[in-house]
Amino acid sequence: MAAGTDSRPVPATAGGVRDAARGSGHRTGRRKRDGGGGAGGERGTFAASPLAALWRRHWYAWAMVAPVVLVIGVIVGYPLVRGVYLSLTDADEANVERTIGVNHLPATYHFTGLDNYAAILGDGVFWERLGWTVVWTTGCVGVTFVLGLTLAVMLNRQVRGRSFYRIGMIVPWGIPAFVSVFAWKMLFNEKNGLLNKVLDGGGIDAVPWLGDPVWAKVAVIAVNVWLGVPFMIVAMLGALQGIPGELYEAAEMDGAGPWQRFRNITLPGVRTVSSTVVLLSTIWTFNMFPVIYLLTRGGPEDSTEILVTYAFRLSFINSPRDFATSAAWGVLILVLLSLFTVVYRRALRRQGEVW
């Protein structure tokens, strides 16, 4: 009996030893993973472990992105922060830090808060420039989109010499903007320009293209449209080629006419691309400095001056140069474009477009 009694507990004892060893090992492993145990160790592990795992998994991507982020921070980030700061001061040519010969003069401008913004928004000059900028942007983007889509539809068909026409349409895009503007400036010359020579040959009086406020506005819009159409053609051609041809064949078999096919197949098919290029074109045109400045320099009588050219004038042309007010104009331009982007994106979301 004694021997039997002693032999029964052996399995239980062995199992208990195994359970104890398993529990001890489990607790030991938990303490090791927790970094020594304790609440502090758990918090440190949960805080550092995801970041460490993320770095180990994507370190190569972070290493590739870091130079780009650094360059953008230096080229875009610092000027932006500096501009916002200057817009809150009274900095101008006379009180900024500067060196004259061997003399170094420290900055003496002061922080003024939102005084510059209040002065700009309370001045009719800002609202006048803003009104023309909106008209200029809307006119350029609208005409560019209509022409670009129309030409893209024509070039998307199987016609003889299609490649030649495509290259011809894209050529203006490859020419530097300032070269194109100077060429158009010679064409618009009132006395010796080619356009007025053609009009004179037809018995029509010369048009003061760059000397009359109304004609000057027409001229700058025409030049900017000429520069912007190639980009729109390329974008729309890509969108059109992504539409399955079977849709047009099925619609034609159902008796749909050209306009019905265009309205029900083409326009919905290019909606995603067109919404993006319209946004990009709006931002580019809103800040299109070269066309306005090189063609008319904001004239005549400041009739073609947009927001960005006026900010440039304040900072680089007027004397004394007003850096603070110019920076405030730049910040307001950024705010306006940001608000437009937010509103535009929400409008697209309501229509089912997500990007």
Side-chain angles (χ1 to χ4, degrees), residues 199-221:
L199 294 177
D200 184 63
I204 303 175
D205 294 336
V207 175
W209 294 104
L210 304 180
D212 180 77
V214 176
W215 283 112
K217 292 179 178 180
V218 173
V220 294
I221 290 177

PDB file of all heavy atoms in Angstrom, residues 199-221:
ATOM      1  N   LEU A 199      -4.540  92.978 -90.445  1.00  0.00           N
ATOM      2  CA  LEU A 199      -5.767  93.775 -90.379  1.00  0.00           C
ATOM      3  C   LEU A 199      -5.714  94.945 -91.356  1.00  0.00           C
ATOM      4  O   LEU A 199      -6.709  95.283 -91.997  1.00  0.00           O
ATOM      5  CB  LEU A 199      -5.981  94.276 -88.947  1.00  0.00           C
ATOM      6  CG  LEU A 199      -6.266  93.214 -87.886  1.00  0.00           C
ATOM      7  CD1 LEU A 199      -6.385  93.850 -86.506  1.00  0.00           C
ATOM      8  CD2 LEU A 199      -7.540  92.439 -88.217  1.00  0.00           C
ATOM      9  N   ASP A 200      -4.538  95.562 -91.440  1.00  0.00           N
ATOM     10  CA  ASP A 200      -4.391  96.689 -92.354  1.00  0.00           C
ATOM     11  C   ASP A 200      -4.565  96.249 -93.798  1.00  0.00           C
ATOM     12  O   ASP A 200      -5.133  96.976 -94.625  1.00  0.00           O
ATOM     13  CB  ASP A 200      -3.015  97.325 -92.149  1.00  0.00           C
ATOM     14  CG  ASP A 200      -2.833  98.567 -93.008  1.00  0.00           C
ATOM     15  OD1 ASP A 200      -3.579  99.548 -92.809  1.00  0.00           O
ATOM     16  OD2 ASP A 200      -1.939  98.558 -93.887  1.00  0.00           O
ATOM     17  N   GLY A 201      -4.100  95.052 -94.114  1.00  0.00           N
ATOM     18  CA  GLY A 201      -4.288  94.540 -95.466  1.00  0.00           C
ATOM     19  C   GLY A 201      -5.747  94.309 -95.794  1.00  0.00           C
ATOM     20  O   GLY A 201      -6.137  94.350 -96.964  1.00  0.00           O
ATOM     21  N   GLY A 202      -6.564  94.064 -94.783  1.00  0.00           N
ATOM     22  CA  GLY A 202      -7.997  93.879 -95.000  1.00  0.00           C
ATOM     23  C   GLY A 202      -8.794  95.155 -94.839  1.00  0.00           C
ATOM     24  O   GLY A 202     -10.033  95.094 -94.808  1.00  0.00           O
ATOM     25  N   GLY A 203      -8.106  96.290 -94.713  1.00  0.00           N
ATOM     26  CA  GLY A 203      -8.794  97.564 -94.586  1.00  0.00           C
ATOM     27  C   GLY A 203      -9.331  97.853 -93.197  1.00  0.00           C
ATOM     28  O   GLY A 203     -10.214  98.697 -93.033  1.00  0.00           O
ATOM     29  N   ILE A 204      -8.796  97.189 -92.180  1.00  0.00           N
ATOM     30  CA  ILE A 204      -9.243  97.382 -90.793  1.00  0.00           C
ATOM     31  C   ILE A 204      -8.177  98.171 -90.046  1.00  0.00           C
ATOM     32  O   ILE A 204      -6.977  97.934 -90.211  1.00  0.00           O
ATOM     33  CB  ILE A 204      -9.494  96.025 -90.102  1.00  0.00           C
ATOM     34  CG1 ILE A 204     -10.528  95.217 -90.898  1.00  0.00           C
ATOM     35  CG2 ILE A 204      -9.957  96.238 -88.661  1.00  0.00           C
ATOM     36  CD1 ILE A 204     -10.741  93.820 -90.351  1.00  0.00           C
ATOM     37  N   ASP A 205      -8.633  99.135 -89.261  1.00  0.00           N
ATOM     38  CA  ASP A 205      -7.697  99.964 -88.505  1.00  0.00           C
ATOM     39  C   ASP A 205      -6.910  99.118 -87.510  1.00  0.00           C
ATOM     40  O   ASP A 205      -7.376  98.080 -87.016  1.00  0.00           O
ATOM     41  CB  ASP A 205      -8.446 101.068 -87.762  1.00  0.00           C
ATOM     42  CG  ASP A 205      -9.096 102.070 -88.716  1.00  0.00           C
ATOM     43  OD1 ASP A 205      -8.607 102.172 -89.862  1.00  0.00           O
ATOM     44  OD2 ASP A 205     -10.089 102.708 -88.315  1.00  0.00           O
ATOM     45  N   ALA A 206      -5.714  99.601 -87.207  1.00  0.00           N
ATOM     46  CA  ALA A 206      -4.851  98.894 -86.252  1.00  0.00           C
ATOM     47  C   ALA A 206      -5.499  98.841 -84.877  1.00  0.00           C
ATOM     48  O   ALA A 206      -6.162  99.796 -84.436  1.00  0.00           O
ATOM     49  CB  ALA A 206      -3.491  99.587 -86.178  1.00  0.00           C
ATOM     50  N   VAL A 207      -5.316  97.735 -84.197  1.00  0.00           N
ATOM     51  CA  VAL A 207      -5.887  97.535 -82.859  1.00  0.00           C
ATOM     52  C   VAL A 207      -4.792  97.765 -81.825  1.00  0.00           C
ATOM     53  O   VAL A 207      -3.710  97.184 -81.932  1.00  0.00           O
ATOM     54  CB  VAL A 207      -6.456  96.106 -82.720  1.00  0.00           C
ATOM     55  CG1 VAL A 207      -6.933  95.858 -81.290  1.00  0.00           C
ATOM     56  CG2 VAL A 207      -7.567  95.878 -83.721  1.00  0.00           C
ATOM     57  N   PRO A 208      -5.042  98.605 -80.809  1.00  0.00           N
ATOM     58  CA  PRO A 208      -4.033  98.805 -79.749  1.00  0.00           C
ATOM     59  C   PRO A 208      -4.041  97.631 -78.777  1.00  0.00           C
ATOM     60  O   PRO A 208      -4.540  97.710 -77.656  1.00  0.00           O
ATOM     61  CB  PRO A 208      -4.487 100.106 -79.087  1.00  0.00           C
ATOM     62  CG  PRO A 208      -5.967 100.140 -79.293  1.00  0.00           C
ATOM     63  CD  PRO A 208      -6.211  99.471 -80.635  1.00  0.00           C
ATOM     64  N   TRP A 209      -3.443  96.515 -79.198  1.00  0.00           N
ATOM     65  CA  TRP A 209      -3.544  95.283 -78.437  1.00  0.00           C
ATOM     66  C   TRP A 209      -3.053  95.455 -77.005  1.00  0.00           C
ATOM     67  O   TRP A 209      -3.698  94.977 -76.067  1.00  0.00           O
ATOM     68  CB  TRP A 209      -2.728  94.189 -79.116  1.00  0.00           C
ATOM     69  CG  TRP A 209      -3.241  93.781 -80.456  1.00  0.00           C
ATOM     70  CD1 TRP A 209      -2.717  94.108 -81.674  1.00  0.00           C
ATOM     71  CD2 TRP A 209      -4.394  92.979 -80.723  1.00  0.00           C
ATOM     72  NE1 TRP A 209      -3.465  93.564 -82.687  1.00  0.00           N
ATOM     73  CE2 TRP A 209      -4.504  92.855 -82.136  1.00  0.00           C
ATOM     74  CE3 TRP A 209      -5.345  92.354 -79.932  1.00  0.00           C
ATOM     75  CZ2 TRP A 209      -5.514  92.131 -82.752  1.00  0.00           C
ATOM     76  CZ3 TRP A 209      -6.358  91.627 -80.538  1.00  0.00           C
ATOM     77  CH2 TRP A 209      -6.442  91.517 -81.927  1.00  0.00           C
ATOM     78  N   LEU A 210      -1.935  96.114 -76.826  1.00  0.00           N
ATOM     79  CA  LEU A 210      -1.353  96.256 -75.493  1.00  0.00           C
ATOM     80  C   LEU A 210      -1.489  97.669 -74.949  1.00  0.00           C
ATOM     81  O   LEU A 210      -0.995  97.953 -73.854  1.00  0.00           O
ATOM     82  CB  LEU A 210       0.134  95.864 -75.518  1.00  0.00           C
ATOM     83  CG  LEU A 210       0.438  94.459 -76.051  1.00  0.00           C
ATOM     84  CD1 LEU A 210       1.934  94.200 -76.035  1.00  0.00           C
ATOM     85  CD2 LEU A 210      -0.301  93.394 -75.252  1.00  0.00           C
ATOM     86  N   GLY A 211      -2.157  98.556 -75.677  1.00  0.00           N
ATOM     87  CA  GLY A 211      -2.314  99.930 -75.226  1.00  0.00           C
ATOM     88  C   GLY A 211      -3.697 100.261 -74.702  1.00  0.00           C
ATOM     89  O   GLY A 211      -3.886 101.304 -74.060  1.00  0.00           O
ATOM     90  N   ASP A 212      -4.654  99.396 -74.941  1.00  0.00           N
ATOM     91  CA  ASP A 212      -6.022  99.613 -74.469  1.00  0.00           C
ATOM     92  C   ASP A 212      -6.334  98.595 -73.380  1.00  0.00           C
ATOM     93  O   ASP A 212      -6.012  97.409 -73.530  1.00  0.00           O
ATOM     94  CB  ASP A 212      -7.005  99.458 -75.635  1.00  0.00           C
ATOM     95  CG  ASP A 212      -8.445  99.664 -75.205  1.00  0.00           C
ATOM     96  OD1 ASP A 212      -8.858 100.824 -75.017  1.00  0.00           O
ATOM     97  OD2 ASP A 212      -9.154  98.632 -75.040  1.00  0.00           O
ATOM     98  N   PRO A 213      -6.960  99.019 -72.263  1.00  0.00           N
ATOM     99  CA  PRO A 213      -7.205  98.077 -71.154  1.00  0.00           C
ATOM    100  C   PRO A 213      -7.996  96.841 -71.559  1.00  0.00           C
ATOM    101  O   PRO A 213      -7.670  95.724 -71.144  1.00  0.00           O
ATOM    102  CB  PRO A 213      -7.966  98.932 -70.133  1.00  0.00           C
ATOM    103  CG  PRO A 213      -7.519 100.333 -70.406  1.00  0.00           C
ATOM    104  CD  PRO A 213      -7.330 100.401 -71.893  1.00  0.00           C
ATOM    105  N   VAL A 214      -9.023  97.027 -72.382  1.00  0.00           N
ATOM    106  CA  VAL A 214      -9.849  95.881 -72.767  1.00  0.00           C
ATOM    107  C   VAL A 214      -9.076  94.944 -73.683  1.00  0.00           C
ATOM    108  O   VAL A 214      -9.042  93.713 -73.473  1.00  0.00           O
ATOM    109  CB  VAL A 214     -11.147  96.357 -73.443  1.00  0.00           C
ATOM    110  CG1 VAL A 214     -11.956  95.151 -73.926  1.00  0.00           C
ATOM    111  CG2 VAL A 214     -11.978  97.191 -72.479  1.00  0.00           C
ATOM    112  N   TRP A 215      -8.432  95.496 -74.717  1.00  0.00           N
ATOM    113  CA  TRP A 215      -7.679  94.660 -75.635  1.00  0.00           C
ATOM    114  C   TRP A 215      -6.483  94.007 -74.950  1.00  0.00           C
ATOM    115  O   TRP A 215      -6.079  92.884 -75.312  1.00  0.00           O
ATOM    116  CB  TRP A 215      -7.225  95.468 -76.841  1.00  0.00           C
ATOM    117  CG  TRP A 215      -8.314  95.729 -77.830  1.00  0.00           C
ATOM    118  CD1 TRP A 215      -8.882  96.937 -78.126  1.00  0.00           C
ATOM    119  CD2 TRP A 215      -8.992  94.758 -78.636  1.00  0.00           C
ATOM    120  NE1 TRP A 215      -9.866  96.792 -79.070  1.00  0.00           N
ATOM    121  CE2 TRP A 215      -9.958  95.458 -79.404  1.00  0.00           C
ATOM    122  CE3 TRP A 215      -8.884  93.387 -78.797  1.00  0.00           C
ATOM    123  CZ2 TRP A 215     -10.794  94.825 -80.312  1.00  0.00           C
ATOM    124  CZ3 TRP A 215      -9.722  92.745 -79.697  1.00  0.00           C
ATOM    125  CH2 TRP A 215     -10.662  93.455 -80.451  1.00  0.00           C
ATOM    126  N   ALA A 216      -5.901  94.698 -73.980  1.00  0.00           N
ATOM    127  CA  ALA A 216      -4.772  94.108 -73.246  1.00  0.00           C
ATOM    128  C   ALA A 216      -5.222  92.875 -72.468  1.00  0.00           C
ATOM    129  O   ALA A 216      -4.496  91.873 -72.400  1.00  0.00           O
ATOM    130  CB  ALA A 216      -4.164  95.144 -72.313  1.00  0.00           C
ATOM    131  N   LYS A 217      -6.401  92.926 -71.878  1.00  0.00           N
ATOM    132  CA  LYS A 217      -6.921  91.765 -71.168  1.00  0.00           C
ATOM    133  C   LYS A 217      -7.188  90.606 -72.122  1.00  0.00           C
ATOM    134  O   LYS A 217      -6.892  89.439 -71.812  1.00  0.00           O
ATOM    135  CB  LYS A 217      -8.194  92.144 -70.420  1.00  0.00           C
ATOM    136  CG  LYS A 217      -7.972  93.099 -69.257  1.00  0.00           C
ATOM    137  CD  LYS A 217      -9.268  93.462 -68.564  1.00  0.00           C
ATOM    138  CE  LYS A 217      -9.001  94.392 -67.375  1.00  0.00           C
ATOM    139  NZ  LYS A 217     -10.237  94.783 -66.673  1.00  0.00           N
ATOM    140  N   VAL A 218      -7.720  90.923 -73.298  1.00  0.00           N
ATOM    141  CA  VAL A 218      -7.941  89.883 -74.304  1.00  0.00           C
ATOM    142  C   VAL A 218      -6.610  89.269 -74.733  1.00  0.00           C
ATOM    143  O   VAL A 218      -6.490  88.048 -74.903  1.00  0.00           O
ATOM    144  CB  VAL A 218      -8.693  90.462 -75.516  1.00  0.00           C
ATOM    145  CG1 VAL A 218      -8.782  89.427 -76.631  1.00  0.00           C
ATOM    146  CG2 VAL A 218     -10.083  90.924 -75.101  1.00  0.00           C
ATOM    147  N   ALA A 219      -5.592  90.124 -74.881  1.00  0.00           N
ATOM    148  CA  ALA A 219      -4.287  89.648 -75.350  1.00  0.00           C
ATOM    149  C   ALA A 219      -3.645  88.699 -74.340  1.00  0.00           C
ATOM    150  O   ALA A 219      -3.130  87.631 -74.712  1.00  0.00           O
ATOM    151  CB  ALA A 219      -3.371  90.844 -75.629  1.00  0.00           C
ATOM    152  N   VAL A 220      -3.651  89.062 -73.057  1.00  0.00           N
ATOM    153  CA  VAL A 220      -2.990  88.201 -72.067  1.00  0.00           C
ATOM    154  C   VAL A 220      -3.733  86.880 -71.913  1.00  0.00           C
ATOM    155  O   VAL A 220      -3.107  85.819 -71.719  1.00  0.00           O
ATOM    156  CB  VAL A 220      -2.865  88.930 -70.704  1.00  0.00           C
ATOM    157  CG1 VAL A 220      -1.931  90.119 -70.816  1.00  0.00           C
ATOM    158  CG2 VAL A 220      -4.221  89.370 -70.167  1.00  0.00           C
ATOM    159  N   ILE A 221      -5.052  86.905 -72.011  1.00  0.00           N
ATOM    160  CA  ILE A 221      -5.811  85.652 -71.935  1.00  0.00           C
ATOM    161  C   ILE A 221      -5.491  84.772 -73.142  1.00  0.00           C
ATOM    162  O   ILE A 221      -5.303  83.552 -73.008  1.00  0.00           O
ATOM    163  CB  ILE A 221      -7.324  85.942 -71.840  1.00  0.00           C
ATOM    164  CG1 ILE A 221      -7.660  86.557 -70.484  1.00  0.00           C
ATOM    165  CG2 ILE A 221      -8.132  84.667 -72.049  1.00  0.00           C
ATOM    166  CD1 ILE A 221      -9.120  86.938 -70.318  1.00  0.00           C
TER     167      ILE A 221
END
